[in-house]
Amino acid sequence: EAWRPDGEDERRGAMGPVKVRVPAKVNLHLGVGPLRRDGYHELNTVYHAISIYDELTARRGDTLTLTMEGEGTGELALDDSNLVMRAAHALAGYAGVLPHARLHLRKQIPLAGGLAGGSADAAATLVACDALWGTGLTRDELAGIAADLGSDVPFLIHGGTALGTGRGEAVSPVLARPTSWYWVVAIADGGLSTPAAYRELDRLREAGTAGPPLGATDALLAALRQRDPRVLAATLGNDLQDAALAMRPALAETLKAGEAAGALAGLVSGSGPTCVFLAENGARAERIAAELTAAEVCREVRVAHGPVAGARIV
Ligand code: ATP
């Protein structure tokens, strides 16, 4: 149980609400290596945080509760299976405090969309509760708890553009020019299960019908050090794309429509079904978004830019 000297409880942490904003991620490069003994695949990925955000507000409370609004409301369980609840329990357990808070999630990142929304919410919860409870963990301690919650969670604390290795949890920032890249994000109706996408890739590889695996990230990392979106476009890639297309053949139409609308490149984000398109600039992105909306190949189209910061108190 939490031990505090008399009166400390009142002074520690934030009294007022703590609001944290956290971005979605796309993988500019998602290289899927062999299946490991622990059931995860060895990944070689470049994460990129984009300006589609969830927002988590943490208030003082006598128990731990979670409410939500926005994407996935009514579908997403708000019990202890929710990554927000799991993150709050994990932090409280690590820091030796009671997991008492009233948490509210405002969700704009679609569920099971390949944009790591659940991981983003877990990252936001760690940052928010750390401030609310005054546990004052270091970034490294938070990253350690984050890694246990999910492979993408450490990156969503960092944000920006970063290399991910291991099962994706080992994150190191990428040296890049301070440039913004503009993305058109095509959100599909319904989600795709990430484990199912990996299983489908394994199946395609066993059958010998998977495309050749992506090579090293060198070309992409070099492109990020330049300012030319055309150069970046030529280096984007995702080993899970064939699997996502096999599970959701209609995504081929979405990808075609984005490229026909003038995108420099299009790819499936993570395990899908969200597709992202690189645009030459912000104005071009708006035009592509309008055409893509008119083509009726997805549920919703948004324009975003990246890189943006990870989970931050606002
Ligand atoms: P990734 O790109 O990391 O594979 P994703 O974007 O495809 O993830 P998420 O929305 O992160 O998918 O979550 C996938 C599943 O995780 C959901 O279908 C849901 O069952 C579970 N989950 C638990 N908590 C949350 C949460 N707060 N937000 C979204 N999903 C959650």
Side-chain angles (χ1 to χ4, degrees), residues 88-105:
H89 282 296
L91 174 64
Y94 179 91
V97 300
L98 292 168
H100 288 173
R102 284 185 295 139
L103 305 174
H104 183 73
L105 178 62

Side-chain angles (χ1 to χ4, degrees), residues 25 27 54 66 68 75-77 81-86 105 107 109-122 152 156 192-195 198 269-273:
K25 67 89 186 137
N27 302 81
D54 281 356
L66 173 61
M68 75 172 292
E75 275 173 73
L76 186 60
S81 69
N82 195 292
L83 278 157
V84 167
M85 299 294 267
R86 290 177 47 207
L105 178 62
K107 212 160 166 52
I109 306 174
L111 280 196
L115 296 172
S119 303
D121 299 342
D152 295 343
L156 289 151
L192 273 182
S193 146
T194 302
Y198 278 101
S269 176
S271 54

Side-chain angles (χ1 to χ4, degrees), residues 86-154:
R86 290 177 47 207
H89 282 296
L91 174 64
Y94 179 91
V97 300
L98 292 168
H100 288 173
R102 284 185 295 139
L103 305 174
H104 183 73
L105 178 62
R106 269 187 61 196
K107 212 160 166 52
Q108 291 189 295
I109 306 174
L111 280 196
L115 296 172
S119 303
D121 299 342
T125 304
L126 293 179
V127 171
C129 289
D130 183 53
L132 185 76
W133 296 334
T135 41
L137 300 198
T138 64
R139 288 253 139 193
D140 279 354
E141 284 178 302
L142 285 180
I145 303 171
D148 288 339
L149 290 165
S151 303
D152 295 343
V153 184

Side-chain angles (χ1 to χ4, degrees), residues 272-298:
T274 304
C275 294
V276 293
F277 300 92
L278 181 62
E280 228 164 296
N281 53 46
R284 265 318 250 281
E286 294 293 347
R287 285 216 292 279
I288 294 164
E291 266 194 55
L292 208 49
T293 304
E296 296 183 355
V297 287
C298 56

Side-chain angles (χ1 to χ4, degrees), residues 5 23 56 88 95 136 143 148 201 215 219 279 311:
L56 185 98
D148 288 339
L201 176 62

Side-chain angles (χ1 to χ4, degrees), residues 241-253:
Q241 179 156 315
D242 286 345
L245 285 167
M247 294 164 75
R248 193 72 74 81
L251 292 181
E253 299 307 314

